[in-house]
Amino acid sequence: AVHKRALETQAADAAFAPFWAGVRERIARERSWAERAYLGMRRAFSLSRLAWAVPAVAIVLFAILLLPRFFSGWGQTNQATVEAIDGHGFNVALLHEAQTKTAVIWLFENEEAEDDNPVEPAASEQAF
C-alpha cells in the first residue's frame, strides 16, 4: 500500500503531455521509403520467421534433389539394340542399352561348327 501511494504521488507530478505528444507525432509522421524498407526487413527476418524458413528451405532442397530420381523415367522408354556380327571366324553379339548407357559384348562359337568337329577336350584340359 505504501508503494502504491508513492507511485500515485509521483505520477501526479510527472508531465505526461510531452510523452503523449511524442507518441502522436511518431504515429502521424510519414516514414521514408528507407525506413519502411528497414522495418520490413526487420519483420521478414525476425527469429520467429527464420525458425520456419530453415526447415522450409531444407524441404525445398531435398525435393529438388530427389525429384529427378522419382520422375526420371516419365516420358522415356528404355530402348536396347542387339547386333550380331560375324567377324574373322568369331561370332560377336553386341547389346546397347540407352537409358543406363550400357554396352555388353558376347563372344561365342557357332554351334553348327561344333557339331562338325565332335572332338571333346581331354580331361586334363580346361574347357570354357
Side-chain angles (χ1 to χ4, degrees):
V2 175
H3 294 296
K4 181 178 178 185
R5 277 183 274 153
L7 288 175
E8 286 175 352
T9 57
Q10 287 181 356
D13 294 340
F16 284 108
F19 171 75
W20 289 115
V23 169
R24 277 190 226 102
E25 178 187 336
R26 282 181 282 190
I27 290 171
R29 180 175 50 120
E30 182 70 27
R31 291 195 172 113
S32 69
W33 68 269
E35 280 182 299
R36 288 192 309 261
Y38 173 72
L39 291 174
M41 294 297 276
R42 277 187 58 190
R43 286 185 199 121
F45 293 110
S46 67
L47 290 178
S48 62
R49 291 191 188 223
L50 286 177
W52 286 102
V54 171
V57 167
I59 289 170
V60 168
L61 288 176
F62 282 129
I64 289 170
L65 293 174
L66 293 178
L67 279 178
R69 172 175 267 201
F70 291 111
F71 299 113
S72 65
W74 283 18
Q76 296 178 357
T77 57
N78 190 10
Q79 296 180 351
T81 58
V82 176
E83 301 173 23
I85 306 166
D86 184 19
H88 303 291
F90 294 103
N91 290 319
V92 178
L94 190 60
L95 169 76
H96 291 282
E97 203 265 328
Q99 186 175 7
T100 60
K101 298 181 177 125
T102 303
V104 178
I105 302 170
W106 285 284
L107 301 173
F108 59 93
E109 294 181 16
N110 190 351
E111 291 180 13
E112 294 173 5
E114 288 180 11
D115 290 341
D116 295 339
N117 297 328
V119 177
E120 293 184 18
S124 63
E125 295 179 17
Q126 262 186 331
F128 293 98

